Structure formats: structure tokens, C-alpha cells
Amino acid sequence: MRSSWINKLSVILGPRPPVSWLLLCLISVLALIAVLGSSSSNSFESVTSIPVPDIYTNYRRLKEQAAIDYLELRTLSLGVSRQRELGLCGKEQENYVPCYNVSANLLAGFKDGEEFDRHCELSRDGQRCLVRPPKDYKIPLRWPAGRDVIWSGNVKITKDQFLSSGSMTKRLMLLEENQIAFHSEDGLNFDGVKDYSRQIAEMIGLGSDSEFLQAGVRTVLDIGCGFGSFAAHLVSLKLMAVCIAEYEVTGSQVQLALERGLPAMIGNFISRQLPYPSLSFDMVHCAQCGIIWDKRDGMFLIEVDRVLKPGGYFVLTSPTSKPRGSSSSTKKGSMLTPIEELTQRICWSLLAQQDETLIWQKTTDVHCYTSRKQGAVPLCKEEHDTQSYYQPLIPCISGTTSKHWIPIQNRSSGLHLSSVELEVHGVHPDDYFEDSEFWRSSLRNYWSLLTPLIFSDHPKRPGDEDPLPPFNMIRNVMDMNARYGGLNAAFLEAERSVWVMNVVPTRTQNTLPLILYQGFAGVLHDWCEPFPTYPRTYDMLHANGLLSHLTSEGCNIMNLLLEMDRILRPEGWVVLSDNMVAIEKARALATLIRWEARVIDLQKGTDQRLLVCQKPFLKK
């Protein structure tokens, strides 16, 4: 039968097909590919004509392939040459944090602690590679279980470091095989975290710590948070507690807190301001955080005053703060310590002191500063309040002329802001409410999109310890271009158990005061630079319009995507919304860093596209 067909074909074509005939066949095949590509493009463009609930039917099998085919053709038509996928970095970079190179900082002449500070100006673009996870890395447990139990292989703390970390730490944590268990009933001091939190509430005149919200305390800056036990308790009270701690080569507090699913970032009190505007937090907390507060003429305490809102509280717990000759809850005696003298000069009042804990309250009266005696800390000029992105520490009181000078007790307690509050922040109510409605709708689309992927046909992860479905979860989200914090508000309204780090790019309108005013976590950041956190610390990264903005600013998009890959945990998600040109470029680059990328057209007739990516679990 086979030889019969060959004989017939030989009769038609002859023993040897002519070259012209072969060339004609090749042209026909290419034309057929072009027609199929055009059809694929048209079918992709028409995705949004289907009702929203049907967009995600058989998504992984059909729409993904349509998007890939479409973008591959567009990439080829634009003449973009295919590049090789990036390789993995060496094992020594598993916990790599850019801008924190202590040896390079020392060589550059930084000393007196500044060598541990952030110096991105010394960073150089080196070899581009993907930061690999440690050998024993495992996907974190679902929250809230993952808040109290983490995999020891996911953080840079060894068993020897754990065992030598002191008796208090041993009460906080229990090492069981390859897990670290945090006991919520045990913690910060010998009375436990709950007792300690209740003690603070009583010292400021509350019946219990459940009344923090009613007293105006919604955001807490926890300096040197240790292993995050106090912050974890505050989160259970629906407070936003953000941990900051200095960069550590080993045993990082920030890395461990983030691994527990708690808000944290690298920050210190050495030479520069924190990346928060004036009047940002309701409470600043320091429990044995290692800072000498009266050093450098109280400069560090003045920085606390800068970020503390009017009527806010500074809580200091330390053996060195124990009251002299008395353990009562009220101050006795006339002898003042240097820190007590300084707090009087910056219009703070000592509310109470008990055991090793002292609590001060910042004044709500702006006129207090003009009535002080000579030698008081001077007031800042108005221009000092406009910049707070790693500027040098300044020895003056800021925020006194700001329209954001609103005592925490006078702030509305609900999620929705009034027109008066919005106008104080320079935001038109219509713009704000339109933005809020947009993000409610967007979050519904995102969740419809991600839910089938996460909970239905998610591919099995490497290893034998995979839990039963659902395989994945999202504990935290970084909104890389947060604007008014609308995505954060939408998560709260939808009662999703996630917290959001709202990032306001430095080259856009500074809406961070409004974000913090709503009780959200937020920070200023220049996305042309790396973000101050450890690798694998976020479950989802989201950005709306950031790619096109950074392109116009001359920032390198490939460097941005590599940084996103560094701070995203394995199997984490990236959701980018932008114009089609920016999305296509990001899609092409995403393949180089091995992301599984898909493009969705959710708004038919517009230039906007959605790029959804997942970071694979790479091991070597």
C-alpha cells in the first residue's frame, strides 16, 4: 500500500521535485501560518465580547495559548530577537538584598553605623540572574496557620543561632524538626504578649487593648520587632502594625516577620529619614530595639516625632527605662533622664511608666511649640515637610504647619472618608469615589481570574510534602502604584484575609498621607531602585500604569522585573495593568525570567491590557 502511494506520487512529480516547486510549497506554508496568526489575533481581541463570567472558562487551556500565539507573532513582527532565559544566581545570593553591601560601604568611607544603611548609589548593574530559593525552601503554610508556624529553611537563621539566642527567644519559639513554631500565648515579656498589650492600653487610659481602635490607634510602627509576636497580636486586633528593623546579614527580623505574613521592611535610625511623610503613625513602639534614643542630641527621637501623628503615643520598653526607685504607674521624683528632658523640649507628655515601660504622648496643640522655653528644638521650615525619601535627619520639629495636623482622636473611625477629609488631602471626592468603584470591580475580575488557577488546576509542586488542595494562597499583596489605596480598600470590603503594602512612587503625586490616614500600610519608593526587603517576601505584586510611567522616566523595565522576581515568593503572582505596548514588552521580558505569562483584554475597545504571571518554583 505504502509503495503504491509512492509510485503514484513519483508519476505526478517525477523522481525529483523541482526547486521552484519546493520554494512554492514553503511560501504557501508561511502564508498559511500568517492567516492562522491573524485569526488567532482576532479571536484574542474578541475575548471581551464574551460576558465577564465566561472569560475564564477553560482559561488555562484556550485563552493562554491564544495570548501566547498572538504575542509571539507581534514580537516577531516588531523584529524583537529572541533572547535566552536568565540563569540562577549562585547559592551565596539566596538572601541577597541590593543597596546593603556592608563591605562596599566601608570601602566608600561610611562608618559609625552608616555602613549598615542603604546606599543604592554604590550599586552597579552586575550579572543579571534569578535569585534562587534555599535548598530546603517550602511554600509557606496557609494563613493564619502560617502566622504561627513557618519552615525554618525559608529564613536565614540556623539551628545554632536559634539555640544561642537567649531564654526569652526560646520562650517565643520552639524548633520542631524543620519548623519554627511561635506560641501566641507566650512572647514579648514574662507576662506574655496579651498581658503586655493590655498593660499598654491601661497605661494610656483604656479598659483593654480591644479599645485601641476607638482611641484612634490604627497604625503602629514597631521598631526592631524581633520575631513579630507583638505585631501578630496587634494584627489580630485589626490594627496595622508595620515592623522596621535594620539590615542584618543573618537572622533577619524583617525576613522572619514577613515569612509569618506580617507587614515589615528594612529601615533604621542612623543617618536618614524613614521613607514615610510627616505625621504618619498613631503609635511608635520600641521594645529592647537597641536604639540609644538620646544619642546625637536626640536626633533619633526627633525622627520619631516627625512620623508620629498629633496625639500619638511613643511606647518604650527597655531595662534602661526602668523608673528610678519606684515601680508605680505614675512618675515620681524630680530627677530627669536625658530622654525625659528631650521629650519635654519636643512637647511630649509622659503619661505613665510601669515596670520597664514608659509611654509618652505627642501634643495635639500646635501652640505648645511657640510657648516653650529657650533651648527648645526649633521648628522646621515648610519645605522640609515636602520630602521624606531617605533625606538626611534634620534637628527640627516638622509637621506643625501641615494641613494634615489632625489629632488621632478626631479622625473618623469608618472605612469611608468624608468629603472634608478628602479635601484636606487635596483629593476631589468624585475622583476618590470613582477610583474606589473601579477597584471594587477590578478586584472581582482579579479574583475570578485567579481563583480557577489557584484552587482548581494548579500544577503540583515539587516535593512529597504537598498539602491537600487548595495548593496556594495569598497572604500579602504589594500594590506598586497605589494611588489612593483603592485596591487595599477593596480587599477590606471584600473581607479578603490579606494585607497590602501600598507603595507610592516618588515621581508621582504623593498620596501616601491619604493612604496612611486610612489606616493602611504604605511607603514611598523610587522603582528605579531596589525595594528594601529580603527575597521571597510577597505573595502577589500588583501595578496599574507603572510600566508606562517608568518607561517615560527612563527606568530599565528589565531591572524592575528582576527586582519583582527577587521579592516574589515561588509560585507567587504578578498582575500588571497597562497599555498594550508596555504589556507586550513586559510579556516578552517575562519569558526571559521564566514567568508563566498570560495577557487578558478585559476592556474591549481600549488600549488597556492585563498581564498575569506566575513565578515558577525553580530549584537547581
Side-chain angles (χ1 to χ4, degrees), residues 100-119:
Y100 289 92
N101 190 326
V102 178
S103 58
N105 294 342
L106 288 171
L107 290 174
F110 292 104
K111 57 183 180 179
D112 298 329
E114 290 190 41
E115 65 272 20
F116 296 100
D117 211 338
R118 182 174 183 271
H119 296 285

Side-chain angles (χ1 to χ4, degrees), residues 5 42 179 205 212 312 320 352 366 369 476 491 550 563 569 582 591 602 608-609:
W5 276 103
N42 292 334
Q179 293 181 343
F212 274 136
T320 59
V366 176
Y369 299 101
N476 58 16
F491 271 115
L550 293 181
E563 175 63 6
R569 70 165 175 82
T591 60
L602 292 181
Q608 296 300 301
R609 296 291 184 271

Side-chain angles (χ1 to χ4, degrees), residues 275-314:
Y276 312 114
S278 300
L279 317 178
S280 293
F281 294 94
D282 305 320
M283 178 182 287
V284 177
H285 173 261
C286 162
Q288 302 184 30
C289 60
I291 297 176
I292 304 175
W293 291 106
D294 55 358
K295 188 178 179 182
R296 295 183 58 185
D297 297 325
M299 189 79 79
F300 304 147
L301 208 60
I302 294 173
E303 174 65 1
V304 171
D305 179 86
R306 187 185 71 82
V307 300
L308 198 60
K309 293 179 179 177
Y313 304 96
F314 177 59

Side-chain angles (χ1 to χ4, degrees), residues 347-388:
C347 283
W348 289 7
S349 57
L350 180 61
L351 290 185
Q353 60 183 32
Q354 183 176 336
D355 301 325
E356 297 178 345
T357 301
L358 289 85
I359 300 181
W360 286 270
Q361 185 175 26
K362 180 175 178 175
T363 185
T364 59
D365 183 11
V366 176
H367 301 293
C368 171
Y369 299 101
T370 58
S371 61
R372 294 171 301 167
K373 298 178 181 179
Q374 290 185 348
V377 180
L379 301 182
C380 296
K381 296 180 180 179
E382 189 171 350
E383 58 265 22
H384 286 302
D385 290 335
T386 59
Q387 288 291 335
S388 55

Side-chain angles (χ1 to χ4, degrees), residues 66 73 80 106 112 125 147 151 155 164 170 173 229 274 284 320 338 350 357 369 385 388 429 453 464 488 501 548 596:
L73 289 170
V80 179
L106 288 171
D112 298 329
D125 291 338
R147 180 183 58 194
W151 301 110
V155 293
S164 63
K170 292 175 185 177
M173 300 192 307
S229 295
L274 298 173
V284 177
T320 59
L350 180 61
T357 301
Y369 299 101
D385 290 335
S388 55
L453 301 181
D464 300 326
N488 195 155
M501 177 61 77
S548 55
E596 181 184 352

